[in-house]
Amino acid sequence: MRAMVYRGPYRVRVEKKDLPKIEHPNDAIIRVTRAAICGSDLHLYHGLMPDTRVGMTFGHEFTGVVEEIGSSVQNLEQGDRVLVPFNIACGSCFFCVRELYSNCHNTNANASAVGGIYGYSHTAGGYDGAQGEYVRVPFADVGPSKIPEWMDEEDAVLLTDACPTGYFAAELGDIKEGDVVVVFGAGPVGLFAARSSWLMGAGRVIVIDHLDYRLEFAEEFAQAETINFTEHDDRVMHLKKVTDFLGADVCIDAVGCEADGSFFQTLTTTKLKLQGGSPVALNWAIDSVRKAGNVSAIGGYGPLFSAVKFGDAMNKGLTIRTNQCSVKRHWPRLFEHVRNGILKPSAIVTHRFPLEEIAEGYHIFSSKLDHCIKPLVLPQAA
Ligand SMILES: [Zn+2]
Ligand SMILES: [Zn+2]
């Protein structure tokens, strides 16, 4: 088969690879029909995730058709059209039975923090991802769901990570009616976090980013107020000013480890690799939320330490909530929101690349060219 292959930082290409095989009775082989490139794939692409091995195929957001099933698979049949959560989860461990699929205890032998994730380095289990023609899906009775007849496949692929992760980010903020919510980052997850904040009762939603095209998108898509932080030397003071000098009730970090905005943080993270992520957005969130407010941290950070302003968080009495999204837990409600037209996840898709042009897709997305918000990859396109 043809698949995207990692060759080193900033170098991906499409190569011939062996077809994935059933390795366990509960595996399925999926013929991928849509995959997405995620903002978090860029951390891999930039060489920032430990143990990202040459030859790995990325891709944890995908839909496809069941090609083959193992002997114990009960819930799927050959030919089913499915969406697959980015979490690989066993369905039966302490965490899975509590619907904490992202923390599954059995799918990632390499870490006790996060469970398995498709195509996300050996730090997340060493599974090959779906930016190729076929992918092996372990625990096929746990993760995948059939795509409902009424659902657009592009909506479905956005429901495998970006949309539920943004929704979960808003949920972690524990938003009360009328709350002022500030979302750091106007990428796909930030956009869905902002949009979802209204569903949870926010009174004001403010999105912060450094790129005007993404902020304009946030105004349209999420009906948010926007701030371009490059226009304000003291970002925290500006945020205080627009929130009655108390600060926001809820701040959401939807940026993660490659935040711009601080030379020191960027240097110690991306250049010197002394930190597991540059927590610029997280620190702004801690500084600009009101005392006793909530901080939701959904942006990705690596396993190393990060210079987070914990003393300020403690003295302000903040509640900080985090996790990787357990995608499947959110599907029943999100499916209803999509069906009723409350959410249109595919509205953020700006680019569609045939698999053979995936290197161009990574370059455009990484360099924020051509007003790219969310790129899809079409493995079956000729
Ligand atoms: Zn993703
Ligand atoms: Zn589990």
Side-chain angles (χ1 to χ4, degrees):
M1 68 159 179
R2 305 282 292 166
M4 166 276 179
V5 167
Y6 177 67
R7 283 285 146 212
Y10 293 90
R11 286 169 58 219
V12 300
R13 64 186 188 217
V14 178
E15 292 179 11
K16 207 172 151 207
K17 249 183 137 162
D18 288 341
L19 279 169
K21 288 195 206 52
I22 301 282
E23 294 175 19
H24 181 278
N26 210 238
D27 284 353
I29 304 299
I30 306 291
R31 178 168 57 83
V32 181
T33 48
R34 298 270 192 304
I37 305 177
C38 179
S40 66
D41 287 331
L42 298 178
H43 308 326
L44 301 170
Y45 178 66
H46 298 156
L48 292 174
M49 188 54 70
D51 211 1
T52 302
R53 298 186 191 173
V54 165
M56 281 286 289
T57 298
F58 301 164
H60 57 265
E61 308 182 1
F62 61 100
T63 54
V65 178
V66 177
E67 183 81 5
E68 195 187 343
I69 53 171
S71 57
S72 78
V73 174
Q74 305 279 318
N75 300 340
L76 298 177
E77 285 175 38
Q78 205 183 23
D80 282 342
R81 294 169 63 239
V82 290
L83 70 167
V84 182
F86 77 84
N87 322 107
I88 302 175
C90 77
S92 56
C93 70
F94 177 95
F95 302 98
C96 284
V97 297
R98 288 159 177 80
E99 296 190 303
L100 293 165
Y101 303 113
S102 63
N103 306 110
C104 176
H105 210 47
N106 288 329
T107 52
N108 182 5
N110 308 312
S112 54
V114 73
I117 301 175
Y118 294 97
Y120 213 75
S121 86
H122 280 66
T123 305
Y127 299 90
D128 254 338
Q131 289 167 4
E133 290 180 292
Y134 295 89
V135 63
R136 180 176 75 95
V137 169
F139 298 102
D141 279 330
V142 180
S145 254
K146 286 172 207 168
I147 300 175
E149 281 299 321
W150 50 264
M151 189 184 283
D152 186 301
E153 195 176 344
E154 287 199 353
D155 288 327
V157 75
L158 270 294
L159 284 168
T160 63
D161 181 1
C163 175
T165 294
Y167 184 85
F168 176 56
E171 189 187 76
L172 284 179
D174 197 14
I175 297 164
K176 304 281 188 302
E177 206 177 315
D179 273 355
V180 178
V181 179
V182 173
V183 179
F184 294 83
V189 170
L191 290 170
F192 285 118
R195 186 80 181 72
S196 303
S197 295
W198 294 116
L199 300 178
M200 296 173 196
R204 272 178 86 189
V205 179
I206 304 168
V207 175
I208 301 182
D209 199 274
H210 63 298
L211 295 168
D212 280 330
Y213 82 88
R214 301 213 300 186
L215 291 169
E216 282 162 25
F217 201 94
E219 286 166 18
E220 286 269 311
F221 177 78
Q223 300 84 46
E225 299 170 49
T226 57
I227 296 171
N228 186 326
F229 70 72
T230 62
E231 292 168 8
H232 304 277
D233 287 336
D234 190 334
R235 289 89 197 225
V236 171
M237 187 49 76
H238 182 72
L239 273 170
K240 289 266 161 91
K241 206 148 80 183
V242 299
T243 51
D244 298 332
F245 289 98
L246 278 179
D249 301 293
V250 177
C251 282
I252 298 173
D253 167 13
V255 177
C257 66
E258 288 190 75
D260 285 312
S262 159
F263 174 74
F264 168 77
Q265 294 275 14
T266 303
L267 180 76
T268 53
T269 303
T270 55
K271 301 290 185 283
L272 302 177
K273 299 195 167 55
L274 291 174
Q275 295 193 65
S278 136
V280 179
L282 184 54
N283 282 341
W284 288 348
I286 288 168
D287 284 341
S288 51
V289 76
R290 69 163 162 76
K291 284 176 271 189
N294 296 336
V295 173
S296 157
I298 199 80
Y301 292 89
L304 291 172
F305 101 101
S306 294
V308 176
K309 300 181 77 174
F310 193 74
D312 287 350
M314 186 274 164
N315 285 305
K316 287 177 79 172
L318 304 185
T319 301
I320 301 179
R321 297 179 73 201
T322 68
N323 207 346
Q324 295 269 359
C325 179
S326 288
V327 169
K328 198 158 182 180
R329 191 173 80 220
H330 301 282
W331 276 354
R333 175 156 287 189
L334 287 174
F335 278 27
E336 285 309 304
H337 282 327
V338 173
R339 186 173 199 164
N340 296 328
I342 305 290
L343 282 173
K344 181 65 183 162
S346 59
I348 71 161
V349 175
T350 50
H351 290 68
R352 293 163 187 84
F353 295 97
L355 177 61
E356 297 298 325
E357 292 170 24
I358 197 167
E360 178 76 355
Y362 268 90
H363 172 64
I364 286 175
F365 191 34
S366 169
S367 303
K368 311 282 185 287
L369 303 175
D370 197 28
H371 290 194
C372 186
I373 301 276
K374 183 71 174 177
L376 297 187
V377 178
L378 309 174
Q380 314 296 327

